[in-house]
Amino acid sequence: MIDARRLRTLRAVADHRTVTAAAAALYLTPSAVSQQLAALEQETGHHLLAREGRGVRLTAAGEILLGHADAVLAQLERAEADLAAYSAGVSGEVTVASFATGISLVLAPAIGTLAIRAPGVRLRVLDAEGDASLPMVLDGRADLAVAVEYRGAPRADDARLTRVPLYAEPFEAVLPTAHPLAAGEGPIAVADLAAEPWIGPYPGNPCHDVVLLACEYAGFQPRLVHSSDDFRAVVALASAGAGVALVPRSALLGVDLARVAVRPVDSALATRRVFAAVRAGADGHPLIRPVLDALADAAPTTPAGPGAPTPRTAAPTAPVAPAAP
């Protein structure tokens, strides 16, 4: 018999590429992980891992077993969901990892909805960067993620995850008010900003990838002079004339835009796609299903913001948390 717990360990090692990193994700010691892998190799009668530099890689047998492991783990999630549904009364905690503007835009409203629809469901919210929440779900540190597409993200057809699309929002150009393109209402061409100094998130941030992709498609590499993952800081730098930026529409909510101009851009690639994700098989869990439904109901058809028909330069009426991507 193959122990399912050891399959989960194999999946963690495949994701993190080292025994030490897998152990940290599983809250185990490296020696415990090594023992589980050795036992799994004994159970299967195959070498599953091979050394590769300072890390490890799966052998051909390991890759075969990993494909079955994903299916087995997903089925176990479904079994837990069915048993939980059978139990009388739905009450418990769901841990949700989300980037900051996702918390503001959909997660906070969903908490209010759940208080009415499913008062027994309690949410524990973790603020996580856009590229961190999916690994937290896969490692078991969170039950649900509000995440964004990014380079290197698990594919939409990844058998380990079930996705629920929430919304897509455009990035908009933030320009100093003295900029020649600041006036007007229609979209501006991203290519027209090629010669400008740029302000943007750090590499590794999903929004950094979107900005690079939109600029590359427009035929240039942006000259990133200033870097910040806090979009309030990005807007402040633009208001000081330090450069131009592309910022997700919802990240501009509550930000003082009095000294900048916000213009839509002509690039469909300058878009942030947001979705909820759970481990495959867990979407039917009686604690998780109401959360997914509440998030879907809270998701705007078109996120309001400076590019929507609302005042663009109104000062914030109340302090807001830093808008992280």
Side-chain angles (χ1 to χ4, degrees):
M1 293 289 291
I2 297 176
D3 190 321
R5 293 172 298 177
R6 292 167 187 158
L7 293 179
R8 197 176 299 279
T9 301
L10 181 69
R11 166 43 74 187
V13 172
D15 287 341
H16 295 281
R17 298 298 179 185
T18 71
V19 169
T20 301
L26 295 171
Y27 298 99
L28 297 172
T29 64
S31 62
V33 169
S34 296
Q35 289 170 11
Q36 288 196 21
L37 294 171
L40 185 59
E41 289 184 330
Q42 187 173 7
E43 287 172 345
T44 60
H46 291 278
H47 291 296
L48 304 175
L49 297 170
R51 289 286 178 185
E52 188 172 66
R54 295 184 178 180
V56 293
R57 63 173 176 80
L58 269 63
T59 63
E63 293 286 358
I64 292 171
L65 183 59
L66 186 66
H68 290 287
D70 290 338
V72 169
L73 295 174
Q75 192 59 43
L76 287 175
E77 292 280 357
R78 294 186 187 97
E80 290 180 6
D82 289 345
L83 288 171
Y86 176 77
S87 300
V90 175
S91 179
E93 183 178 84
V94 177
T95 300
V96 184
S98 172
F99 60 102
T101 48
I103 293 173
S104 301
L105 200 61
V106 293
L107 193 48
I111 291 175
T113 300
L114 289 168
I116 299 171
R117 292 184 188 171
V121 178
R122 304 182 306 277
L123 293 191
R124 175 172 172 255
V125 178
L126 304 177
D127 188 339
E129 296 294 341
D131 58 345
S133 56
L134 293 179
M136 292 173 71
V137 168
L138 293 172
D139 291 341
R141 290 174 287 158
D143 303 304
L144 187 151
V146 176
V148 299
E149 296 285 0
Y150 61 93
R151 291 180 183 178
R155 289 166 49 93
D157 59 357
D158 193 307
R160 297 171 294 166
L161 294 167
T162 296
R163 295 190 183 201
V164 176
L166 294 178
Y167 63 91
E169 63 175 326
F171 281 56
E172 298 191 314
V174 177
L175 312 172
T177 52
H179 194 280
L181 297 176
E185 294 295 326
I188 63 175
V190 174
D192 289 342
L193 303 174
E196 303 291 340
W198 279 72
I199 312 159
Y202 284 100
N205 185 311
C207 290
H208 178 90
D209 292 343
V210 173
V211 172
L212 285 188
L213 188 62
C215 292
E216 288 169 2
Y217 190 78
F220 70 98
Q221 194 81 9
R223 182 165 56 92
L224 284 165
V225 177
H226 309 286
S227 297
S228 175
D229 287 334
D230 183 341
F231 284 120
R232 291 198 299 189
V234 170
V235 171
L237 288 168
S239 71
V244 302
L246 291 181
V247 176
R249 176 177 290 173
S250 65
L252 295 171
L253 291 169
V255 177
D256 186 356
L257 305 175
R259 292 181 294 169
V260 296
V262 179
R263 298 284 308 277
V265 294
D266 65 353
S267 174
L269 295 176
T271 302
R272 174 159 71 173
R273 291 175 174 80
V274 181
F275 58 91
V278 299
R279 290 183 294 277
D283 53 309
H285 194 288
L287 291 177
I288 291 177
R289 186 72 253 169
V291 181
L292 289 173
D293 291 341
L295 288 171
D297 289 345
T301 303
T302 302
T310 54
R312 294 189 178 190
T313 58
T317 57
V320 294

